[in-house]
Amino acid sequence: MAKIILEFDSDEERDDARIALDGYKWRGLVWDLDQDLRGTTKHGYIGNREATEEEMTAASDLRKKIRELLDEWNLNLES
């Protein structure tokens, strides 16, 4: 099994340490957002009400933008 060791030597680097440790939370947040948008585009609902055509278009556009940004940052939600 491979090991990755992150070292932060000072209080000034505390924020960097928190960012490094919270990466999985950010991935989860983007995943949840993407899945909510997917539900809107696939099923046509936001919560318990039917989505308008504009809302469905906006959800689709946002999902595309998320994918573009993930690609630009060389990130992948699927793995």
Side-chain angles (χ1 to χ4, degrees):
M1 176 188 278
K3 280 187 183 181
I4 296 175
I5 299 171
L6 301 173
E7 287 188 26
F8 299 93
D9 296 325
S10 66
D11 286 338
E12 292 85 28
E13 294 177 333
R14 183 179 30 197
D15 289 338
D16 292 336
R18 179 53 39 207
I19 289 168
L21 294 172
D22 284 347
Y24 77 97
K25 292 179 184 178
W26 284 99
R27 181 187 180 275
L29 180 146
V30 174
W31 172 265
D32 287 349
L33 174 60
D34 183 66
Q35 292 304 297
D36 284 349
L37 295 168
R38 179 182 178 272
T40 299
T41 59
K42 184 174 182 180
H43 303 292
Y45 279 86
I46 297 175
N48 293 329
R49 70 169 176 82
E50 193 171 339
T52 66
E53 197 64 38
E54 292 83 13
E55 289 170 327
M56 290 176 58
T57 299
S60 178
D61 291 347
L62 287 169
R63 285 193 83 213
K64 287 177 190 172
K65 185 62 177 179
I66 289 170
R67 293 294 188 270
E68 288 173 14
L69 291 169
L70 287 168
D71 189 50
E72 286 176 23
W73 284 87
N74 197 30
L75 296 170
N76 185 346
L77 285 180
E78 309 303 327
S79 60

